[in-house]
Amino acid sequence: MKTLVWAEHDNAALKDATLATVTAAGKLGEVHLLVAGHDCDAVAQAAAKIAGVATVHVADDAAYEHPLPESVAPLVVELMASHDAFVVPATTTGRNLAPRVAALLDVMQISDILSVESANSFTRPIYAGNAIATVTTSDAKLVITVRGTAFDKAAAEGGSATIESVSAAAQGQDQASFVSSEIAASERPELTSAKIIVSGGRALQNGENFASIIEPLADRLGAGVGASRAAVDAGYVPNDYQVGQTGKIVAPELYIAIGISGAIQHLAGMKDSKVIVAINKDEDAPIFQVADIGLVGDLFNIVPELTEKL
Amino acid sequence: MKLLVPVKRVLDYNVKPRVKADGSGVDLSNVKMSMNPFDEIAVEEALRLREAGAASEVVVVSIGEAKAAETLRTALAMGADRAVLITAEGPVEPLGVAKLLAKVAQEEQPGLVILGKQAIDDDNGQTGQMLAGLLGWGQGTFASKVAIEGEHAVVTREVDGGAETVRLKLPAIVTTDLRLNEPRYASLPNIMKAKSKPMANKTPADYGVDVTPRLTVTRVEEPGKRQAGVKVADVDELVAKLKALGVTG
């Protein structure tokens, strides 16, 4: 089987999510990467070095600078004439693009896979991760999005793929155009690839407390900062901090949940973390049912003390 | 312009799903069902656009078992004008739903279709994008802000790392993210009024769409359980545990 993997990048560097997706695609067969972008030569060079990649297809065009699905989906459909599967990281870019491609190919997409059972059988979470379904497809071509935390990352070095340029007449610009983006600046590790995450909830009471209590601990540990939906909705932090069913899915080595009760929608985003630590004053909070280490008490006393003693 | 809002009947988001012992699926007998939360946000956004004068009519549509009529009544009680119920035997996958919605869209000629970004039961997150692909329309997924400017919709989207704004030629597809709005509650008089609002009854055959599933669910199981943890008495003990794990700060 020839797989086509969507390389996620910002025209300057590859995103980590691509590496886990290459691993998943490698379980299906020969891995080809698609780098669609503008002035993205550095990305193509990096993509060619990923271990296990046979060919990198590069579509360099101003129309692909921001990968709008209206423009990119027709390009992918063209390439799918000579590939058997389109494998995409389940990032917001991937989730935006892949179903459009699937519809144009008249196949059912398999979303957010956790494992490859066979060439046409996969596991995926349903009901906010409260159940795992094994699904088998009868479609001739596969369109799959991959949960990055469920697969090891392919080695970023060691490959020597050939780079081929793809020329396609860009389409779709009349349907949609890019206006602007506001990317939150952060010095901290990216949430989905951080080894340690310190996450805060509603109990922080306001944004100032979040900054003065959660962030020093995160900085002490070199950790990413996450939040529950309650903390985001209350405006303590921007919404790209949100961990959960509707936010980011993370699986760090250590997840420290502070003032988070542990609603099922939040657990859906973090319960595959290797070690979970919970700090909460309510000893009956559901978070303690999944926490490896729990401490019952007032976060306003505990967290500064913890930061100091670490 | 007319707005089309697809809604789905799902297990209520507060209910903890129970996996059936025989591994055939999640037990949906005698459990509370509700409108998918993202679809409530879609209905609310459509109503706000109508109230702002950007739209003239809000049509809601649901595909599924006959009980989906209740979900449509909820949307009518929130303020939608009329409903289309497409009754189907068994589950219909996003691809089948998108094909049916494409037919409804061709019939109704909406200026905008607003869907939830994902249903909280199958967590697929596909239908809106598939519909956009089938119709050849622009798509504004995971929307946190929608503005109609003449012949275009300007949609701010929640993306990894922040927000992005796109400009879509109408007609277009929008899928809602949580922060788009706060859905209203239906008042008792409006619930009563909703009972007399029109609801068309259709089947997939009426639209000539084959909704045979492409995927077979061979097994549904509980996720691996985490081992019970320990509670520590104070910060010193927590620090010791963390250091034992190799966390040194």
Side-chain angles (χ1 to χ4, degrees):
Chain A
M1 192 182 279
K2 258 169 88 175
T3 68
L4 183 67
V5 171
W6 172 256
E8 178 126 345
H9 64 87
D10 58 5
N11 292 310
L14 266 176
K15 298 268 161 95
D16 262 6
T18 311
L19 299 175
T21 309
V22 165
T23 302
K27 292 176 190 288
L28 291 168
E30 190 178 301
V31 179
H32 293 219
L33 271 180
L34 168 60
V35 175
H38 189 45
D39 289 339
C40 53
D41 192 50
V43 177
Q45 298 297 336
K49 292 198 186 93
I50 299 174
V53 176
T55 309
V56 177
H57 302 276
V58 182
D60 193 327
D61 190 304
Y64 306 134
E65 183 176 359
H66 305 283
L68 299 184
E70 294 81 355
S71 304
V72 177
L75 169 72
V76 176
V77 168
E78 221 173 284
L79 286 165
M80 282 301 288
S82 56
H83 292 83
D84 305 299
F86 183 49
V87 188
V88 184
T91 56
T92 48
T93 310
R95 288 187 283 136
N96 193 27
L97 170 66
R100 190 171 178 115
V101 171
L104 294 175
L105 295 171
D106 192 29
V107 304
M108 237 319 272
Q109 174 181 306
I110 305 164
S111 295
D112 215 17
I113 63 162
L114 301 173
S115 73
V116 176
E117 301 293 299
S118 73
N120 65 351
S121 182
F122 307 88
T123 63
R124 58 177 304 267
I126 54 175
Y127 289 89
N130 283 289
I132 309 296
T134 306
V135 296
T136 305
T137 175
S138 58
D139 282 321
K141 292 200 188 264
L142 302 179
V143 175
I144 294 168
T145 65
V146 173
R147 176 169 290 194
T149 56
F151 294 88
D152 294 333
K153 291 184 188 123
E157 299 286 337
S160 56
T162 47
I163 297 179
E164 286 177 13
S165 84
V166 181
S167 58
Q171 304 174 38
Q173 287 94 325
D174 55 329
Q175 293 160 21
S177 55
F178 174 85
V179 177
S180 63
S181 71
E182 296 162 50
I183 300 303
S186 175
E187 299 289 301
R188 297 199 177 84
E190 196 194 13
L191 213 44
T192 48
S193 55
K195 285 199 162 57
I196 303 177
I197 293 173
V198 178
S199 218
R202 196 203 306 268
L204 269 303
Q205 295 175 353
N206 57 50
E208 291 76 54
N209 288 343
F210 204 101
S212 67
I213 291 183
I214 299 295
E215 293 182 6
L217 176 60
D219 292 341
R220 189 91 187 87
L221 296 171
V225 175
S228 69
R229 184 185 164 196
V232 170
D233 282 352
Y236 305 170
V237 288
N239 53 35
D240 53 303
Y241 281 48
Q242 187 183 323
V243 170
Q245 183 186 22
T246 58
K248 293 198 169 70
I249 312 287
V250 300
E253 302 277 316
L254 174 63
Y255 188 90
I256 306 181
I258 298 170
I260 292 176
S261 65
I264 55 176
Q265 292 82 4
H266 185 76
L267 299 182
M270 46 64 80
K271 68 182 170 163
D272 292 326
S273 305
K274 201 154 170 231
V275 176
I276 298 172
V277 172
I279 297 169
N280 203 300
K281 68 177 176 194
D282 174 11
E283 62 178 313
D284 296 323
I287 191 78
F288 287 120
Q289 290 165 19
V290 300
D292 300 278
I293 308 170
L295 177 52
V296 179
D298 186 352
L299 70 93
F300 291 99
N301 299 326
I302 290 171
V303 181
E305 190 186 340
L306 176 64
T307 305
E308 191 188 316
K309 286 183 173 167
L310 271 169
Chain B
M1 99 180 149
K2 196 190 282 185
L3 302 176
L4 185 65
V5 183
V7 295
K8 185 177 186 183
R9 182 175 185 267
V10 298
L11 179 68
D12 188 88
Y13 75 99
N14 283 311
V15 177
K16 176 145 169 76
R18 273 179 302 115
V19 174
K20 288 189 207 167
D22 64 0
S24 63
V26 165
D27 193 354
L28 295 179
S29 53
N30 302 316
V31 291
K32 188 181 177 209
M33 304 290 281
S34 303
M35 191 191 301
N36 180 43
F38 292 102
D39 302 349
E40 288 185 354
I41 294 169
V43 173
E44 176 66 35
E45 194 63 18
L47 298 175
R48 289 186 189 190
L49 287 170
R50 192 189 62 192
E51 284 156 7
S56 50
E57 190 185 23
V58 175
V59 181
V60 288
V61 53
S62 193
I63 297 157
E65 56 177 327
K67 282 182 179 163
E70 293 167 14
T71 310
L72 288 170
R73 289 288 170 210
T74 306
L76 293 171
M78 286 173 74
D81 297 292
R82 61 188 170 85
V84 179
L85 172 63
I86 306 175
T87 316
E89 298 284 330
V92 184
E93 294 171 337
L95 183 63
V97 171
K99 286 180 178 177
L100 284 168
L101 292 175
K103 295 282 186 186
V104 175
Q106 279 155 7
E107 200 172 271
E108 298 280 354
Q109 300 283 319
L112 200 62
V113 185
I114 310 178
L115 308 87
K117 79 164 176 179
Q118 76 193 62
I120 60 163
D121 51 0
D122 58 27
D123 282 334
N124 273 315
Q126 302 174 8
T127 307
Q129 296 89 313
M130 285 184 156
L131 178 59
L134 294 175
L135 292 168
W137 295 0
Q139 65 188 58
T141 53
F142 325 136
S144 58
K145 197 171 160 209
V146 178
I148 304 298
E149 294 179 0
E151 297 298 302
H152 291 85
V154 177
V155 179
T156 302
R157 311 176 49 235
E158 293 194 3
V159 296
D160 295 332
E164 172 183 288
T165 303
V166 293
R167 191 175 163 82
L168 310 172
K169 182 168 168 273
L170 296 177
I173 306 291
V174 166
T175 77
T176 62
D177 215 322
L178 280 171
R179 274 161 287 274
L180 181 58
N181 60 48
E182 191 76 39
R184 69 193 66 186
Y185 289 101
S187 67
L188 188 58
N190 285 343
I191 292 170
M192 300 309 290
K193 228 186 283 174
K195 293 186 179 176
S196 55
K197 286 184 178 175
M199 187 184 303
N201 278 289
K202 303 277 192 177
T203 66
D206 294 338
Y207 296 99
V209 173
D210 176 10
V211 295
T212 311
R214 307 289 185 84
L215 304 182
T216 315
V217 177
T218 49
R219 189 170 168 76
V220 175
E221 53 204 334
E222 297 250 4
K225 286 251 187 303
R226 292 189 72 95
Q227 297 234 314
V230 292
K231 278 194 182 153
V232 293
D234 55 29
V235 172
D236 289 328
E237 210 181 321
L238 176 57
V239 169
K241 287 260 183 209
L242 289 176
K243 288 198 167 154
L245 288 169
V247 179
T248 48

